[in-house]
């Protein structure tokens, strides 16, 4: 994994964390919000893992 890939991965992770924070801070944290956060994490990070880490 090159430095540019690490920077891209870090930027995507920080953006995802910021968006999850915004979703989680509004009016409690019911199961549906937790499900959306976990599902979005899978959608975002599994393809990145397969592309950059599995080589």
């Amino acid at each position: 994994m090159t430095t540019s890939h690490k920077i891209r991965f870090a930027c995507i992770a920080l953006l995802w964390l910021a968006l999850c924070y915004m979703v989680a801070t509004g009016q409690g944290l019911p199961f549906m919000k937790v499900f959306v956060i976990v599902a979005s994490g899978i959608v975002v990070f599994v393809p990145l893992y397969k592309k950059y880490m599995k080589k």
Side-chain angles (χ1 to χ4, degrees), residues 11-30:
C11 288
I12 291 171
L14 289 173
L15 178 63
W16 181 78
L17 287 172
L19 292 172
C20 288
Y21 175 76
M22 285 189 250
V23 168
T25 56
Q27 298 178 1
L29 195 61

Side-chain angles (χ1 to χ4, degrees), residues 1-3 5 7 11-12 15-16 25-26 30 36 39-41 46-47 50-51:
M1 186 182 240
T2 63
T3 304
H5 291 139
I7 292 171
C11 288
I12 291 171
L15 178 63
W16 181 78
T25 56
V36 167
S40 68
V46 168
K50 285 183 177 180
K51 185 174 182 178

